[in-house]
Amino acid sequence: MTAALAIRIAPEAVQSETLRERVHVLESRPGVRQVLLVSTAHEPSTNDKHVVIVLGGGGGGFAVTSPNGVPCVQGGLPLPQRQRLANAIGGPVLALSPPTDQPVMNREWRMSDRHVTDLHAAVTWTKAEWPHAQTWLLGLNHGALSAAVATASIENLAGAVLLSCAEEALDQPQRSDRMRVLAVRHRRDADTSYATLAHTRGRKTLVSVYDERAPHTESVHGEAANRPHFAGKEDQVVDVVARWIVTGTAPDEIR
């Protein structure tokens, strides 16, 4: 389901058990809207310390699936993983749709000023909703480029998590020295040059996932490109991400 379709969800369905998430429609630019799917922790903290905004890969759109016959909206990370992350950090996890004027996002759009404006609007909204929380962007595949570009432009971010990211995302600078960046990549995608490692070491945390069954990121197409593929290690990756957000530490590898 594209962003435009997602926005037409009837108000009575917004809080429904069927959707299993709260839906918020945000006007990011005049006449342009985005959808936020809000997953909260089963036992939320009385003083939320962390909020994560998830940016999908591929074209960035949402899809409606019916696992076990129960319809739900998927945006980037599957709903169970978003819920797992929310529970682990004790705060909300939000999936962000593309804007209505760009329902399918490409590389040029992800590098554009208008995209940064949309991301900034989402960050500003989280700051208003959870004023005491740090806001993180988590990008999947091509969404990691969006998250990395945001850290170069939006000052009030805590940092970013880049899952299955390309070299271009790793090369983006951070606007503030206070920001932290975590990159989790399949081992075959993480064979970077010594120059790249030297450039990123110290300001980015790099984690390699070892599993030779996983498809190479660039070979994944369609809806499957909207989420990372770690061949059965997705829950481990989510747990490492949560640990890094909360404590700042992460293992060098996931096996």
Side-chain angles (χ1 to χ4, degrees):
M1 180 167 62
T2 65
L5 291 176
I7 286 170
R8 291 200 290 269
I9 294 173
E12 60 271 17
V14 168
Q15 301 290 347
S16 74
E17 182 63 24
T18 301
L19 288 176
R20 298 164 63 188
E21 295 184 298
R22 178 162 66 97
V23 177
H24 178 77
V25 179
L26 175 69
E27 186 174 41
S28 56
R29 286 173 282 122
V32 175
R33 293 173 294 176
Q34 296 181 105
V35 172
L36 285 160
L37 304 179
V38 184
S39 301
T40 55
H42 289 320
E43 297 181 5
S45 170
T46 56
N47 184 15
D48 292 309
K49 295 182 179 180
H50 303 285
V51 177
V52 177
I53 301 174
V54 177
L55 310 175
F62 288 175
V64 176
T65 61
S66 299
N68 302 318
V70 180
C72 64
V73 182
Q74 301 286 11
L77 283 177
L79 176 58
Q81 291 178 22
R82 295 202 300 273
Q83 190 65 64
R84 186 184 185 95
L85 180 58
N87 292 339
I89 65 173
V93 175
L94 301 74
L96 180 66
S97 79
T100 50
D101 63 344
Q102 188 72 27
V104 179
M105 298 188 291
N106 54 24
R107 177 191 174 278
E108 288 72 27
W109 177 262
R110 293 182 186 278
M111 299 289 290
S112 71
D113 291 340
R114 283 180 294 173
H115 185 43
V116 171
T117 298
D118 293 339
L119 296 176
H120 193 275
V123 171
T124 299
W125 183 77
T126 66
K127 292 292 186 184
E129 289 289 305
W130 299 280
H132 302 295
Q134 295 185 354
T135 299
W136 306 83
L137 292 182
L138 185 154
L140 319 174
N141 303 332
H142 298 305
L145 178 59
S146 296
V149 168
T151 64
S153 306
I154 303 174
E155 189 169 2
N156 57 346
L157 279 173
V161 177
L162 315 177
L163 300 185
S164 298
C165 64
E167 296 294 311
E168 188 175 20
L170 283 176
D171 287 340
Q172 299 297 316
Q174 281 72 65
R175 185 180 177 93
S176 168
D177 291 338
R178 298 188 304 274
M179 291 182 185
R180 293 193 279 125
V181 175
L182 171 69
V184 182
R185 311 172 79 200
H186 189 271
R187 176 59 182 166
R188 285 178 294 180
D189 297 325
D191 289 332
T192 54
S193 66
Y194 286 111
T196 299
L197 287 173
H199 179 61
T200 60
R201 189 72 68 183
R203 63 185 178 88
K204 293 181 173 70
T205 301
L206 306 178
V207 176
S208 296
V209 179
Y210 285 76
D211 193 330
E212 293 307 317
R213 296 172 300 168
H216 192 282
T217 301
E218 296 304 319
S219 67
V220 178
H221 299 284
E223 176 57 28
N226 199 16
R227 53 188 184 269
H229 291 258
F230 293 120
K233 298 183 184 296
E234 287 79 11
D235 285 350
Q236 289 174 257
V237 169
V238 169
D239 292 344
V240 165
V241 168
R243 172 185 168 188
W244 178 83
I245 287 174
V246 174
T247 68
T249 63
D252 291 333
E253 58 189 43
I254 298 173
R255 290 185 178 270

